[in-house]
Amino acid sequence: MTRPTVADLAAARERIAAHIHRTPVLTCRTLDEATGARLFFKCENFQKAGAFKARGATNAVFSLSAEQAARGVATHSSGNHGQALARAAAARGIRATVVMPETAPKPKIDAVRGYGADVIFCEPTNAARQTALDAFVADTGAEFIAPYDDVRVIAGQASCAAELIEDVPDLDAVIAPVGGGGLISGTALTIAAHAPHIAVHGGEPAAADDAARSLESGQRCGNDAPDTIADGLKASLGEITWPIVREHVAAITRVDEDAIIHAMRLIWERMKIIVEPSCAVALAAVLAAPQHFENRRVGVILTGGNVDLDRLPW
Amino acid sequence: MTRPTVADLAAARERIAAHIHRTPVLTCRTLDEATGARLFFKCENFQKAGAFKARGATNAVFSLSAEQAARGVATHSSGNHGQALARAAAARGIRATVVMPETAPKPKIDAVRGYGADVIFCEPTNAARQTALDAFVADTGAEFIAPYDDVRVIAGQASCAAELIEDVPDLDAVIAPVGGGGLISGTALTIAAHAPHIAVHGGEPAAADDAARSLESGQRCGNDAPDTIADGLKASLGEITWPIVREHVAAITRVDEDAIIHAMRLIWERMKIIVEPSCAVALAAVLAAPQHFENRRVGVILTGGNVDLDRLPW
């Protein structure tokens, strides 16, 4: 199975409905004026556990057989997916274990533990986290729920766009930040199935632009130790998400670090809502690429609001 | 005319409807658990110009005759009322002048000017601002729109509770922060007219507790140079607002500075929305006085979200 089917998307949406928020769509005249577009912000920063990741993790956890569930779930995550999986496991009453880098923000560690999950710390490298996770899974038989390159997770993330196009039926485009591609590939599959006239766009930190390079070259590229404030977007596209992005995403716009911080602050000041840096990348991209968005009706997925309030970037 | 009539409230609501947001009501399970109550947050931090003050200022400005309007409007304000009046005047295409203390937060000064109003600076004392305002009004014939002790302003603020009780019809109590009393007296008049079974509560900084002392003594008290982070609540009840508070407000709960900061941070972290310190006083009061709120359905008016993001209190 290389990607979720339309039936998988529908099943995921029904499976998770009782466990997640149907998040509101907000508008802001000041930001419409700043961008020349008509923007509809899908507020996943208000989602359970503070990010859209609740959707995919919940779908994965509630897709497990009773036998699988009894062995628990495990993942590696710098933050939001870990929280989301911890929360979903608690909702089903099963054990969750999250491998986190020692450098993860304290609020994210506390939140994972607050949902009752176990945390295993590792060095902040991909190799170290994989080693720690593999060892734990081999020991316990826990089910690995990947942060993005997992058909169950992608099907869950797809529910966000499904709500958005129901609430705002006449969009011209949708834009989401791109990290490992779980959200944008889910979004793209929903749009392809139900509103294929809508253009699907991505925004990416210039410092972690694997998806933009992949689309340009036609070959899946990776990020080499990216350094960006958008810590949720350091991952590279996966084996499952890349072909979906290649097939369905119109363009990916790169934004630099200053543009991300500027967009984040604009959202805080003008919309009075809290979004994390990774989340601001979508608005930064709308500001950076008016040729794609001006005079259009654009759904902007605000992905998450988990920020360390003691360490703001301004 | 000592207070707005029920007809005044209805007229105000209709007059301002096209110029303000009908703000959303949000809920938060974590804060319900923290308080033992069921809380319904009326999000005036999302209001035009970032605070409920848009309601009263808009009603006052659009109540003026053409002749009055031609002479412009003026006020003194440490912030939100000034912005709100500036915005309302711009909407009607008339001139606004705002007397502000030299110590006002820069974002608030910039916002007033951003709406096209003139700013006159004065020393940060009540006497100095009154002198500056009186001189300007005498010179120009501008109409003074007081921040709270004004029947037109109170009638406008009353529209907030009217929306709230429509959206959440089965409340047991409503709570708002108390400064000069414009919001709570408008709230109380709406509740008295349309849902008199709902208890109207106030929250007040212990450092500016004139309303609590007034209710306790039966005599209107003042604040003497209060020092509180809740800068929107330093004012004392006025000649118009005090009798309404005395007649209709069930109780006013004092909260200390640490409790205000704690409540503000809880709202930021858990609801992912930006509120100013004055705004957090209502939740702080719910946490401080469980005897009034536990097991009740409580409307909490979140009054504003205008914060200097470079100077957060933690």
Side-chain angles (χ1 to χ4, degrees):
Chain A
M1 181 162 57
T2 58
R3 61 176 69 178
T5 65
V6 174
D8 291 334
L9 304 189
R13 200 172 165 198
E14 193 177 328
R15 185 178 291 125
I16 69 177
H19 302 286
I20 63 155
H21 282 311
R22 179 164 185 142
T23 53
V25 175
L26 298 183
T27 60
C28 178
R29 195 185 296 181
T30 309
L31 294 182
D32 284 354
E33 287 166 4
T35 57
R38 183 92 176 86
L39 304 179
F40 299 88
F41 294 92
K42 176 68 169 166
C43 290
E44 291 293 298
N45 55 324
F46 297 159
Q47 187 51 266
K48 295 284 187 183
F52 75 93
K53 296 275 187 178
R55 298 175 181 272
T58 302
N59 188 50
V61 164
F62 283 85
S63 299
L64 298 176
S65 69
E67 193 185 346
Q68 289 173 310
R71 292 194 297 267
V73 291
T75 197
H76 51 71
S77 169
S78 61
N80 285 337
H81 175 64
Q83 288 183 43
L85 189 67
R87 180 187 163 274
R92 189 160 173 183
I94 67 175
R95 189 173 169 202
T97 302
V98 181
V99 176
M100 298 182 85
E102 301 152 350
T103 53
K106 183 167 183 307
K108 298 196 174 189
I109 298 166
D110 291 346
V112 165
R113 288 182 168 153
Y115 290 116
D118 297 317
V119 174
I120 298 175
F121 288 103
C122 67
E123 289 185 25
T125 67
N126 290 346
R129 75 178 186 191
Q130 198 62 53
T131 304
L133 181 72
D134 290 348
F136 180 79
V137 167
D139 266 7
T140 62
E143 178 80 6
F144 171 45
I145 312 290
Y148 51 88
D149 219 30
D150 183 308
V151 169
R152 302 163 295 189
V153 169
I154 294 168
Q157 318 304 30
S159 63
C160 176
E163 294 173 7
L164 175 60
I165 62 176
E166 277 180 6
D167 287 349
V168 191
D170 48 356
L171 291 173
D172 302 308
V174 170
I175 184 163
V178 182
L183 175 62
I184 200 161
S185 59
T187 300
L189 292 176
T190 288
I191 298 296
H194 300 294
H197 58 283
I198 297 177
V200 178
H201 283 263
E204 210 175 27
D209 66 343
D210 65 290
R213 284 184 281 117
S214 299
L215 269 192
E216 287 161 5
S217 67
Q219 301 285 338
R220 180 159 71 100
C221 303
N223 293 315
D224 187 19
D227 182 17
T228 170
I229 192 175
D231 58 353
L233 305 181
K234 291 180 177 176
S236 304
L237 294 178
E239 290 178 19
I240 303 174
T241 57
W242 157 237
I244 303 170
V245 168
R246 182 177 52 195
E247 186 176 338
H248 292 294
V249 173
I252 292 185
T253 298
R254 295 172 176 88
V255 292
D256 66 24
E257 299 295 296
D258 285 348
I260 296 170
I261 295 170
H262 172 71
M264 178 175 166
R265 188 156 175 153
L266 265 182
I267 294 170
W268 285 47
E269 287 188 342
R270 296 303 176 160
M271 298 184 69
K272 310 295 183 191
I273 62 176
I274 290 178
V275 296
E276 58 194 64
S278 303
C279 177
V281 164
L283 176 64
V286 172
L287 286 162
Q291 71 276 18
H292 295 316
F293 305 108
E294 231 167 31
N295 300 316
R296 307 258 166 85
R297 294 169 62 85
V298 183
V300 179
I301 302 182
L302 294 181
T303 47
N306 292 325
V307 183
D308 184 345
L309 293 176
D310 294 316
R311 299 176 63 186
L312 298 176
W314 43 75
Chain B
M1 181 162 57
T2 59
R3 59 176 68 180
T5 64
V6 173
D8 290 336
L9 305 189
R13 199 172 167 199
E14 192 176 331
R15 187 178 290 124
I16 70 178
H19 302 286
I20 62 154
H21 282 310
R22 179 165 184 140
T23 53
V25 176
L26 298 184
T27 60
C28 178
R29 194 184 299 181
T30 309
L31 294 183
D32 284 354
E33 288 166 3
T35 58
R38 184 90 176 88
L39 305 179
F40 299 87
F41 294 94
K42 176 67 170 167
C43 289
E44 292 294 295
N45 56 325
F46 297 158
Q47 187 50 269
K48 295 283 187 184
F52 75 94
K53 297 274 187 178
R55 298 175 181 271
T58 302
N59 188 51
V61 164
F62 283 86
S63 299
L64 298 176
S65 69
E67 194 184 345
Q68 289 172 311
R71 292 195 295 269
V73 291
T75 198
H76 52 69
S77 169
S78 61
N80 285 337
H81 175 64
Q83 288 184 43
L85 189 67
R87 180 186 164 275
R92 189 160 174 184
I94 68 176
R95 188 174 170 203
T97 303
V98 181
V99 175
M100 298 182 85
E102 300 152 351
T103 52
K106 183 167 185 303
K108 298 197 173 188
I109 299 166
D110 291 347
V112 165
R113 288 181 167 152
Y115 289 116
D118 297 319
V119 174
I120 298 176
F121 288 104
C122 68
E123 289 186 24
T125 67
N126 290 346
R129 75 179 188 189
Q130 197 62 51
T131 304
L133 181 73
D134 289 348
F136 180 79
V137 167
D139 266 8
T140 60
E143 178 80 5
F144 171 46
I145 312 290
Y148 52 88
D149 219 30
D150 183 308
V151 168
R152 302 162 296 189
V153 169
I154 294 168
Q157 318 305 30
S159 63
C160 177
E163 295 172 7
L164 175 59
I165 62 176
E166 277 180 7
D167 287 350
V168 191
D170 48 358
L171 292 173
D172 302 308
V174 171
I175 184 163
V178 181
L183 176 62
I184 200 160
S185 58
T187 301
L189 292 176
T190 289
I191 298 296
H194 300 295
H197 58 284
I198 297 177
V200 178
H201 282 264
E204 210 176 26
D209 66 343
D210 66 290
R213 282 183 282 116
S214 299
L215 269 192
E216 286 162 3
S217 68
Q219 303 284 337
R220 180 159 70 100
C221 304
N223 293 315
D224 186 21
D227 182 19
T228 169
I229 191 174
D231 58 353
L233 305 181
K234 291 181 179 176
S236 304
L237 294 178
E239 291 177 19
I240 303 174
T241 57
W242 157 236
I244 303 171
V245 169
R246 183 178 48 194
E247 186 176 339
H248 292 295
V249 173
I252 293 187
T253 298
R254 295 172 175 90
V255 292
D256 66 24
E257 299 294 295
D258 284 348
I260 297 170
I261 295 170
H262 172 71
M264 176 174 167
R265 187 155 175 155
L266 265 183
I267 294 169
W268 285 48
E269 288 189 340
R270 295 303 176 160
M271 298 185 68
K272 309 296 181 190
I273 62 176
I274 290 177
V275 297
E276 58 194 66
S278 303
C279 177
V281 165
L283 177 63
V286 172
L287 286 162
Q291 72 275 18
H292 295 316
F293 305 108
E294 232 168 30
N295 300 315
R296 308 256 166 85
R297 293 168 63 84
V298 182
V300 179
I301 303 182
L302 294 181
T303 47
N306 292 326
V307 183
D308 184 346
L309 294 177
D310 293 318
R311 298 176 64 187
L312 297 177
W314 44 74

